[in-house]
Amino acid sequence: MKKQILTSVAALGLLFSVANAAVYSVDAVHSSTAFKIKHLQVSNITGTFSKFNGELDITNKIPSNLTATIEVDSINTNNEGRDAHLKKADFFDTAKFPQIKFIMKSFENSGDGQGKIKGDLTIRDVTRPVVLDYEFGGVSKNRQGAEIVGFSLEGKIKRSDFNFAPESSTVALGDEIKLNIEIEAFKK
């Protein structure tokens, strides 16, 4: 009987916390999605995507849900020729695969607004599990008075896991891609 009462109390607590979760939309103007990859084993090429959106549920600094979509055609590596090449079939193939998608599956809490977001990342119709380091930035209000939150995500993926640019050797283009994502989101 005591176990049933404790289970019921725990379930009510979980229901209460989910009911009080706030839903936020990513503010792309005040956010960034950046990547870095080794070129010819001596330097790094960096880039960003300027068009993306996402939503998340967050309570007490902890996300319980996060989905995001990146428009691959918005890639910018500060070189128009390289950007045009990255959009072609041997790299992103934006005609067939216009978006990169992420869906959060779980959160591993490290305490004090830090942890690991685990989820599925889809690039070129290949979906793989990824782990991103999460750091909560804070809560504030924007000029319109809406509540906003900020957080950072960092991680690494392997391009070979996504069958990305398979004709490029790891001498020409590194296999590891570093991700650095800065998010500001407003309460819906």
Side-chain angles (χ1 to χ4, degrees), residues 148-164:
I148 59 172
V149 295
F151 60 91
S152 301
L153 298 172
E154 290 185 356
K156 298 175 187 177
I157 60 172
K158 289 187 175 186
R159 68 179 173 91
S160 58
D161 288 346
F162 295 90
N163 197 30
F164 180 78

Side-chain angles (χ1 to χ4, degrees), residues 40-88:
L40 296 176
Q41 298 184 341
V42 297
S43 65
N44 290 301
I45 299 296
T46 61
T48 61
F49 296 95
S50 61
K51 294 181 183 174
F52 51 92
N53 62 62
E55 284 194 351
L56 68 138
D57 298 346
I58 193 165
T59 304
N60 298 326
K61 303 180 184 179
I62 305 300
S64 58
N65 184 32
L66 170 63
T67 59
T69 303
I70 296 171
E71 300 299 326
V72 181
D73 202 41
S74 71
I75 194 167
N76 180 1
T77 64
N78 293 319
N79 182 298
E80 289 180 17
R82 179 173 45 228
D83 295 345
H85 187 194
L86 289 171
K87 295 174 187 180
K88 291 184 178 180

Side-chain angles (χ1 to χ4, degrees), residues 108-132:
E108 184 181 301
N109 190 359
S110 300
D112 198 28
Q114 296 186 15
K116 296 191 181 297
I117 289 181
K118 298 177 181 181
D120 288 338
L121 181 65
T122 303
I123 301 172
R124 289 181 52 109
D125 213 24
V126 176
T127 302
R128 297 284 183 260
V130 298
V131 178
L132 301 171

Side-chain angles (χ1 to χ4, degrees), residues 7-28:
T7 303
S8 297
V9 170
L12 283 174
L14 179 61
L15 181 62
F16 181 73
S17 70
V18 170
N20 287 322
V23 178
Y24 295 82
S25 289
V26 171
D27 178 356

Side-chain angles (χ1 to χ4, degrees), residues 139-153:
V139 179
S140 189
K141 294 206 181 274
N142 65 16
R143 295 174 98 180
Q144 293 76 30
E147 182 177 289
I148 59 172
V149 295
F151 60 91
S152 301
L153 298 172

